[in-house]
Structures are given as structure tokens and as C-alpha cells.
Amino acid sequence: MASSSKMQCDVKEVDKEEEFERFDDFTLASSWERFISEIEAVCRQWLADGSKNLLQKGAVCLGSSKSLYTVKFELKYATKSYYMEYYFEINNDGKVADWSCNLHDLPLSFGVTEFLVIAPQSASGVVLDAPEASKLLSAIAIALSNCSSLWPAFVPVHDPSRKAYIGIQNMGTIFTRRFEADRIGSQVPLKLMHLEGLYELFLSKFVFSPLDFSTHLFEVHFGMKLTYKTLPYDDDDELSESGENPGGDIRNKTQWDCDCPWSEWYSAEDPVKGFNLIAIWLEKTVESSLEMAELENASPHEAEKWFILPNFNPNFTHGSFGNTIGFASQLHLLVNALDISFEAQFMEDFVSVENSGSDNLKSSTDIPPPTVLDRVLKDLFHEGVQLPHLTESEHNSSRAIKGAPLESLFAQFCLHSLWFGNCNIRAIAALWIEFVREVHWCWEESQPLPRMPASGIIDLSSCLVNQKLHMLAICIEKKRQLSQKYQDGGGNKDHVSAGVKEAGQVNGDSSHTRVPNEVFFGNETGEISNSSISDASCHPETSISMSSSEAQDAATSADLRPSDCIRRGSAGVVDMMLLKSYQNMNVPFTQDAPLMTEDMHEERLRAVEALGDSISFSAQLERDILSSDMSAFKAANPDAVFEDFIRWHSPRDWEDDFFEASGEVWTNGTTEQSNKDWPPRGRLSERMAEQGNSWRKIWNDAPALPASEQKPLSDPNREGEKVLHYLETLRPHLLLEQMVCTAFRASADTINRTNFGGLKQMATKMGQIYLTIASTLKPLQVNHLSVNNEIIENLKRLCVVFGHVEKLLTVAASLYRKFLQALRLSEVIFSVYYNFYQPKMGIGLVGDNGDMEFDKKHQVRMHEREVVANMFTPPTSNQSWRKVLSMGNLLNGHEPVLREIIFSLRDSVRGSYYAASTPRAYKKEIETYRMYICGTSNDLWVALSVASCD
């Protein structure tokens, strides 16, 4: 008995030991618990960091508004990988997202400002298995509850195209908010196309029976946003229906930029494809379906707010140029032609068959047909005979670029070259050869050179080809005048010939128009060459200071009778008296100074450097000009002496006793003493009185001949032939260098004429591009380029910069034309676009924000609404196919392309609703039901959130 009882006790002890050995140790966490713990740790870290620290740690900004940011963390559970994203807003002051939020679906759909999204790392990015979605949502809800966070959490489910979500939020009370969103992609019920049906859809979520819809009044909060979209400006359906174009010929449609300065060369694509108008009805309370029916018939003009959003062409919102055609693209081709131009000695070599087999010339080197060539030459030579306004609308910095004025012959040639044969080197060579032939024909036939002035001073700041063409135009005009003079039988000897001009004003102004003698013989301090220095004592006649008695004797000895000599070549008298004869001084007609181009000046300077004595040689070079003036002066004033010529030609070298005593400086012969004080008292300056002065030697040798009888200072035939020789033998790379400079200047001058209103950013950018072009092209003026030079790369980068400015200008012009009656909108939109596009404008850059889209909306003021509404022209019959079943709220016949509605029902929560008892009464209003509806007649997306205490 005792033994049996003992055995039973041993069995029980063994069973207890076995039972103790097989117990489950719940202190070891499961994979599910570790997954929740990991989520909790990440959430606690994000809560501790706050938005400021998260921004410093690399939170990613969504969109260009820089208001919504996100951070991401990767998680693993079992064999699957997930990512959890935390979205948060800054500068929102805790306000619920409004209609302007379009960076993510959830803020506006569910009225949240910060939230979590957990999704699998897969191609679809959604959870296709319902149990898995519930498990993920439970895990994140537990983790958020453990760290006392009120963040809502969402899980994307179903097919990605449905944009479906499920979510949950702990509201800090016994209430929990659940979220659900889904989309109907097609076959939307007719009832749900109208506001009344959508209103009843919302009521069905909390009303037990549809019969209660009409018998009960519910205070439902309502807000609506309608988006209208203009038809694309380049839509083919915009053709007129007046019957004048029954065939629908698109070629007769007027381009948007037909009045822009670049339209002569190309038609730019309209950067603004259209506009989105957003009309917003702010929150209001509705109590019945009848009110919703009335709202559906309301005009968009009744909306509290209007916003406008331009739809830009993608080519104008990204840094890349794509297939955009403009000056920049053609200038890039011209730079390529410059790079190839070093391969030949003459332009004819590129056109010849023997050289056309070069590897660099095999692709895209076709020469346009003769008809195209003839049309270009006709535009250059036969339709531009009128004298151009070379400085019209010229930018202040344009002359800093060593090219040619926009309306000049060579500038027009360069612009035509950009579009001739796609600007390849062979096409340029063919056009240049024919261009020189036409210029040669104008010379041979003495026909005026089109687009070039036939007078004036040669502009040395322009390129050498333009200088040569200007000189040739002047030579042709002189050649024509001489030919006409010979045909008329010689004419009057005193007639002003082609090379003669009036040297001064005859009505009291005796100042000479030629360059002062200090330029030729010294500076204003009196520095002159040694050959001009002499002893004044050797020439006592140069000192004309006399007493009154001496003056009377001098008058008697001068025999106050008129001279018996014949006066020739006089242009009139001035208020000055001759020193040796009581007669008024006559101003002669003088020859024009010989015109010189830049290379002629350089040749003269090289000759000066070779001879060493620059001052004396410079005087020798100007001897013919000075001798011609002296001969004309002697012919017009037979009784004149050397001192008279100095008083007229170089007043600074005549020291008058009257002004010397008063300390004044002699500036003009008209201030000389009265004629009663004859002869004038004064003396030559020190340098003119020196022994061996060059001027006096030239005076003594100069014959008395009027300008019309003198040998011309320059031979127009010889100079014209030199110009033609230069054009015919110009090396290809020297020609292309000047073409590049001129083409850049002409292109900039062309787009600078664009009318874009008072956009200060655009005016500043145009000034900057001129300076950039001038500094980049400066090495081309040295004419020392070589193959594969880095200058070629700099020129290509310059083309990129020019293209960016060209884009900006096109946008400015388009906006200005569309908002002529509301210029504030054009200025505001362009200012935002400029700041958006500016990061992409670096040299050769694609842009730091290349993935960002332009999504900035601009509020329309009440007085601007009519201007914006007029952009929505009534649809034509050709556009009737666009019309679908009307959703109401039409704007000039246009129904909204997108309708967004928010319904909400609110209730008050008292202190008893909270999990923990509150020491005093507490009352707060929450949204118990909220529905966001977005869609059109064939697309509907619904998001519902419900707060419950289950």
C-alpha cells in the first residue's frame, strides 16, 4: 500500500517535470512582434527628430512648392520587403490641406497633413492580398499606438490604376477613423455625373433608408473645385467656319507669332499650349438635393476664387532643346561650319567636286536648288535697295559685338546663311560665291549696293567685310557721280564734285570739320615733330601784334581795293577778315578725306613702325590731305597768307592778343575782334612759328586750285577693285569667323525687337546675353584660330546659353500677347516661370530640377476674370465631338474637364468620449463623415473617411 502510493507520487513528479520541460516561452519575440517593434522604433525616431531635423537629414521635397516632404525607411517581414514613408508639410500651421494641394492624393482626399504609407517593394507598389493588407495596417496601428502617435496610416491595395487605399487613425479618444478610397474607371452611372446624385451618395453612408433623404434635413458641408481647360492654340479645329476655307487648308491658318520679329526666318512653337482655369466654391452648408441641383446650374463667375495655370510645352519646361528650331540651333550649325572651314584655302574648294568627298562633308552637305538660291539673292539685292536704318531698335550693347548692323547687307546675308541648306559649309560657300558675283555686278554696272549707305564714315567697330562693302558702296556712288559729270560735259568748275564737301558753315561758323591738326602733328600740349621746330625770329611776319598807328600804316599799304585775282571754289564768307587785305575770308569747298577700313589703318601703322619716326611719317601721310585744303583755301582767298589759313583751319594755333590779355581761350573765328579793328591782332602758336614747320612748307608748295580741279585724294576705281579682290580671295575661316560674329549679333538684335511688355527680368537677361556674346566672340577678332581649338567649344556653349534666352523671350512674347488686357497676369506668370527655369540656364546644363513640372497657380482678380473667360471661345461645330454628357457649370459652352467635391458631416465630442477621464468638461468638433469625389463623366474617384467608436 505504501509502496503503491509512493510509486504514484513518483509518477506525478515525473509528469510535472515533463510538463515543466515542455512549456512555451513567451518572452521570446516572434517575427510579427519584431516587425511591429521595428516600425515603432522608426516612428519614435521621426517623432523625436521633428520636421526641421528631418529636412537637415535629407527629406525629399515633392513638387516645386516646397511644402510637402517625405522620408523613407526600408523594412523586412518574413521573406518580403516593404518601405514605409512619412509625409509631412511645413508652413501649414496645422491647417488641413486645401484645394491647392496636388502633390499627393491623400492630403486632399482625406484631409490629412501628415501621414504614413507602408507598401511592398514591388513593381506595382501595392498590396494585392487582402489579408496581407489588413496585417500591415494592424502592425502599423499597434506601433503608432505604442508611441502615442496620432498619425494616420495607409496601405495601397488592389490594382495601381485604381489608386485604392485603406487606412486607419487613432484620434486620441475612443474614436477611430477609418479610410477607404477606390476608383471607377469607366461606365460611371448617369446619376453620379450630377451633383444631386453625388450628394445622395454621401448621405447613403450614414442614412439608413433612401426615404429619409427627402424627409430629413442634414447640415452637410460642401466645397467644390472645377477645372476648365482651353483648347490647344494649335488645334486644327480652330479653323474658320465662315466658308472661305471649305477645304480646311491648314496652311492658311495664322501663326501666333506672325507679328514677331523672328517670323521672317522661322515660326516658333507656341510655348503656352493653353490654360487651366480653376474655379473654387468655398465651403458652404447645404440641406437638400434641390440646393445641389441649383449649384449645378450656377455660372463659374459665381465662384469665390479663380486661379489660372498655364500649360507649357514640355520643350519649354526642361533644359534640353530637343527638336526646337530657332536661331540657337542654326548658330550651332554655323559654328560647326567654322570648324570645317580650315580644311580648304578658298570657298570654291568646298563647292568643287574634288573636295566634296571629305569625310566631314559627306553628311548633310546638300546645296539647295537654284530656285532657292535665286530667291535668297533676290531678297538681298533686288528687294532691299532702300537705305536701311542701321541703328533702329539697336541695343546699347550691340556695338560691343564686332559684327554688322542688322539691316546691313552682310548681316542679312549671314541670317540667310543660317537657313540656307541647313547651314552646311558647302551651302554657305555656294551662297557666298553667288553673293560676290552680285556685288561685282553692282560695281560693273555702277548700281547702288543694296542695304548699304553710300556716304558717311566707315564704322571701324563693325566686321571687316561690312567695312569693305560700305567702302564699295561709297566708291560706286563716287563712280556714278564722276560718270554723270562727264556726261554733262564737265559742268561748272566750282560745282561740288563727288569728292568735294563744304568745309565749314558760311553763316558765321568758321570751325573746320576735319580732324584737328593735333592728331597729325602733335598733341594739345604742343608736342610736334623736330621738322616743325624753327626759330620765330627767322620769320618776323608770323608775329601780327600791332599798335593802332602800325595798323593804320598796314591798312594803307594793303591797298584796300579788292584783289584782281579770280576767286574760285568759295562756299561763302565768314565773319573773319584777311590779315593782308581788307576782305572777308571765304570758306572753300574741300575734298573728302580718304576713307580707310580697319586693315588699311593697320597697314599704315605697320608702315609707321617700320620707318621708326611715327610723328614725321604720320605728317607725311597726311600731306596730301593738308595740301588739298591749302590749295582750295588759296583758290577761294587769293590774297590770303599762311596765318589766315591757320586762323581758319586750326584756331587753336592762333593766339589772339585780345583774348590772351583776358585769359580766355580762342575757340572760334566768329569771336574775333570787330571788322573795324582791322587788321586782327595776334600771332601763331609756338609750334606753328617754329623754323622748318611742315605746314608752312606745304603751304609754300601748294598751288591755288579749287577742289573741283584737284586730283582726287582717293581713286574710287582703284579702291573698289581692291574691295572686290578682297571679297573674292577671302579665306574660308576668315569669312566664317566674321559670319559667326555677325550672325550672333544679328540674331540677338532680331529677338531684341520683340515686344514683351514691362518684364524687367527679360530686359536684364537681354543685356546680359549681349555682354556674354561680346566676351565669347572676342578671340575671333584676333584671327588666329586653329583646328580643334577650345574656342569652338566655347562657341557651342554660347549657342546653348543663347537658346535658353531665346526660350525665355518666346515665353515672354506669348504671355504678353495673350494678356494684353491683363498685363499683371503676364508679369506674374513670367516671373514665376523665370525663377522656375533659371536653374536650367547654366552653360550646357540640363538643370538641377529637370524632373519638376511647372504647377504654380495664380489667382485671377475680379477685373481680370472677363479677360480670362474670353480665352474660352465657344466650341465650333467641328469641335462638337469633344462634347460629352454635360455635368453642368458651363463656361462659354465649355464643361469642366475635372470636378472635385468635398462633403463632410461634423459632430461634437464631449469629455466622456475620451478614454481617460478629464477633470473638466471638454467639447470638440470632429468630422464624423468625409467624402472626396474627383472625376469626370467617365472617371470617378471616391475617398471616404468615417470616425467611429467601435
Side-chain angles (χ1 to χ4, degrees), residues 117-139:
V117 175
I118 186 168
Q121 291 186 352
S122 61
S124 63
V126 298
V127 180
L128 302 178
D129 184 35
E132 180 185 0
S134 299
K135 195 171 186 178
L136 284 176
L137 200 60
S138 300

Side-chain angles (χ1 to χ4, degrees), residues 417-438:
S417 299
L418 293 178
W419 311 96
F420 186 75
N422 205 23
C423 198
N424 66 80
I425 187 64
R426 294 190 67 226
I428 294 175
L431 182 59
W432 173 254
I433 293 172
E434 295 300 324
F435 175 82
V436 174
R437 287 178 183 172
E438 289 291 331

Side-chain angles (χ1 to χ4, degrees), residues 54-55 57-63 68-72 86-88:
L54 289 177
L55 290 177
K57 291 183 177 181
V60 179
C61 176
L62 300 180
L68 185 62
Y69 291 81
T70 179
V71 290
K72 181 186 292 188
Y86 168 51
Y87 292 85
F88 61 95

